């Protein structure tokens, strides 16, 4: 078994409130945005602030109370990397002053990224490759969004979360992971890498350099797949809904989460929603939620948490962790 020993996160200083969006888009009201997505503000990285800068900030918080020399592997999840090459995780090793005999790798995933990172960490620990893993999820989706894209600007925020994953005694909980690449076109940035022969939908896309999201299709994918993911995760771990103390899903938007909760028949008191002040921070939403729960005293030793991430890819994953 493994455990999450520590979690810290960093939010950029710049804040975009619903009132700010109302000034930019007078046809929208701040109350309507709050009601629709459950978000009142989101943090936005500055023009010069990158996922690496934010990762340093969240990781240094970890090392205020954890010996950085224990870390022997870095897993860095982002879809806004510093460069095509070199690997951002390698630069992070140097920026943090970590020893050189550590492994370091980036992986490109969005909303399922934290769960996948835990799965990778489990494999590294089980294989005896690593004992202390720094798992970083850092994202600046705001840099992908067109200034006139009021829908995505109301949803996404920037953030970085860092966690220490270590070996622990106890139950060995299993992962359920899934992929459906046929949905790739529904959440995509078409230009920026090496694919050139793409088509644009002039009714929906601002430019190929900006993020495009087909909201209805993303919602349909989530509703069709995530209830089954929760059921499968419980089954492979030999557990029922009653055995789980808390359910922490990717914080996409409050409407989607409440719909999912009702469809999966999860009791409201067990289902945690926490995005009002941060927005959808992609791969960082689950660790941010867990950290806030810890700070509020909502998690106690022995609690079992079912975590589920889902979105761009399409990609999804879930597992259970014991506090």
């Amino acid at each position: 078994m493994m455990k999450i020993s520590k979690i810290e996160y960093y939010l950029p200083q710049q804040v975009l409130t619903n009132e700010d969006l109302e000034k930019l888009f007078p046809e929208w009201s701040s109350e309507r945005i709050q009601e629709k997505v459950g978000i009142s503000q989101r943090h936005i990285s500055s023009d010069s602030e990158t996922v690496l800068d934010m990762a340093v900030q969240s990781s240094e918080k970890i090392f205020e109370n954890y010996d950085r020399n224990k870390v022997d592997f870095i897993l860095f999840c982002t879809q806004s990397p510093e460069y095509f090459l070199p690997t951002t995780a390698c630069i992070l090793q140097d920026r943090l002053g970590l020893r050189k005999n550590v492994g370091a790798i980036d992986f490109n995933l969005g909303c399922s990224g934290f769960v996948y990172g835990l799965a990778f960490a489990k494999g590294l620990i089980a294989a005896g490759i690593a004992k202390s893993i720094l798992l970083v999820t850092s994202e600046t989706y705001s840099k992908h969004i067109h200034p006139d894209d009021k829908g995505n600007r109301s949803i996404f925020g920037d953030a970085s979360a860092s966690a220490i994953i270590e070996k622990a005694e106890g139950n060995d909980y299993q992962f359920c992971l899934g992929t459906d690449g046929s949905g790739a076109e529904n959440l995509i940035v078409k230009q920026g890498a090496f694919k050139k022969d793409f088509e644009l939908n002039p009714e929906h896309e601002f430019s190929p350099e900006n993020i495009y999201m087909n909201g209805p299709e993303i919602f349909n994918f989530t509703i069709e797949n995530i209830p089954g993911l929760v059921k499968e995760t419980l089954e492979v771990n030999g557990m029922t809904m009653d055995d789980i103390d808390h359910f922490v899903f990717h914080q996409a938007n409050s409407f989607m989460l409440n719909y999912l909760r009702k469809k999966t028949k999860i009791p409201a008191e067990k289902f945690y929603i926490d995005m009002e002040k941060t927005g959808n921070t992609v791969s960082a939403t689950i660790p941010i939620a867990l950290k806030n729960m810890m700070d509020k005293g909502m998690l106690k030793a022995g609690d079992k948490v079912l975590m589920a991430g889902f979105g761009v890819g399409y990609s999804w994953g879930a597992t259970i962790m014991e506090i």
Side-chain angles (χ1 to χ4, degrees):
M1 180 186 171
M2 63 182 180
K3 65 178 180 179
I4 303 174
S5 298
K6 288 187 175 294
I7 301 177
E8 295 289 351
Y9 64 84
Y10 166 80
L11 301 171
Q13 291 185 355
Q14 181 180 346
V15 175
L16 179 67
T17 67
N18 289 353
E19 289 73 23
D20 294 329
L21 288 172
E22 185 177 3
K23 292 176 183 177
L24 293 169
F25 307 104
E27 67 274 19
W28 273 20
S29 70
S30 57
E31 292 81 9
R32 179 187 174 191
I33 300 171
Q34 174 80 41
E35 180 181 352
K36 185 177 180 181
V37 296
I39 300 167
S40 64
Q41 66 175 45
R42 62 292 291 151
H43 292 254
I44 306 299
S45 56
S46 68
D47 291 343
S48 61
E49 192 171 33
T50 68
V51 293
L52 175 62
D53 298 324
M54 299 197 306
V56 170
Q57 294 283 349
S58 59
S59 298
E60 286 293 356
K61 289 184 180 181
I62 290 275
F63 298 134
E64 290 175 6
N65 297 290
Y66 187 86
D67 183 1
R68 70 184 68 217
N69 292 315
K70 289 183 178 180
V71 173
D72 49 15
F73 210 102
I74 302 170
L75 291 170
F76 197 121
C77 176
T78 187
Q79 295 189 311
S80 309
E82 201 80 354
Y83 308 104
F84 274 134
L85 57 100
T87 305
T88 307
C90 293
I91 309 174
L92 182 62
Q93 171 273 331
D94 180 64
R95 288 277 295 270
L96 293 175
L98 301 185
R99 53 194 176 90
K100 295 182 180 179
N101 57 333
V102 303
I105 191 170
D106 290 357
F107 63 101
N108 180 332
L109 273 178
C111 311
S112 63
F114 185 71
V115 175
Y116 268 77
L118 292 176
F120 298 153
K122 178 181 178 180
L124 291 167
I125 291 171
I129 296 172
K131 295 180 180 178
S132 175
I133 297 164
L134 177 65
L135 171 57
V136 179
T137 53
S138 189
E139 204 59 79
T140 55
Y141 261 35
S142 68
K143 298 186 189 305
H144 294 305
I145 301 173
H146 192 280
D148 294 332
D149 187 351
K150 61 184 178 183
N152 283 324
R153 289 190 70 183
S154 71
I155 294 172
F156 292 107
D158 299 334
S160 176
S162 297
I164 295 292
I165 315 300
E166 296 179 305
K167 185 176 181 179
E169 300 299 323
N171 294 323
D172 184 20
Y173 296 105
Q174 303 303 309
F175 286 77
C176 293
L177 307 174
T179 306
D180 180 4
S182 69
E185 293 281 330
N186 292 321
L187 185 46
I188 191 170
V189 176
K190 287 192 171 181
Q191 185 171 313
F194 295 108
K195 176 73 171 176
K196 304 300 180 186
D197 57 335
F198 49 79
E199 295 182 0
L200 297 180
N201 183 338
E203 296 181 1
H204 298 291
E205 296 174 270
F206 291 96
S207 100
E209 298 176 348
N210 297 124
I211 195 168
Y212 164 70
M213 180 168 68
N214 186 328
E217 286 300 321
I218 296 295
F219 181 83
N220 290 338
F221 145 73
T222 303
I223 300 307
E224 289 172 4
N225 289 278
I226 305 313
L229 173 65
V230 173
K231 180 180 179 182
E232 181 186 4
T233 304
L234 291 171
E235 288 177 350
V236 299
N237 286 289
M239 303 176 76
T240 68
M241 200 85 73
D242 293 337
D243 296 316
I244 304 298
D245 299 290
H246 305 278
F247 292 81
V248 180
F249 287 11
H250 162 58
Q251 305 290 293
N253 66 71
S254 60
F255 178 80
M256 179 184 288
L257 288 177
N258 281 312
Y259 194 99
L260 273 177
R261 182 189 67 77
K262 293 173 184 177
K263 189 173 180 64
T264 50
K265 299 180 180 179
I266 298 173
E269 63 272 15
K270 289 187 175 185
F271 194 79
Y272 188 67
I273 298 179
D274 185 359
M275 71 182 78
E276 182 184 357
K277 301 297 184 180
T278 57
N280 180 340
T281 55
V282 198
S283 57
T285 66
I286 293 177
I288 288 175
L290 290 173
K291 171 61 175 174
N292 289 342
M293 293 175 75
M294 293 173 182
D295 290 346
K296 294 174 183 176
M298 296 176 63
L299 298 178
K300 61 182 185 298
D303 277 359
K304 297 175 180 63
V305 182
L306 190 151
M307 294 170 285
F310 44 86
V312 57
Y314 298 136
S315 174
W316 61 93
T319 192
I320 297 167
M321 293 287 285
E322 189 169 318
I323 303 302

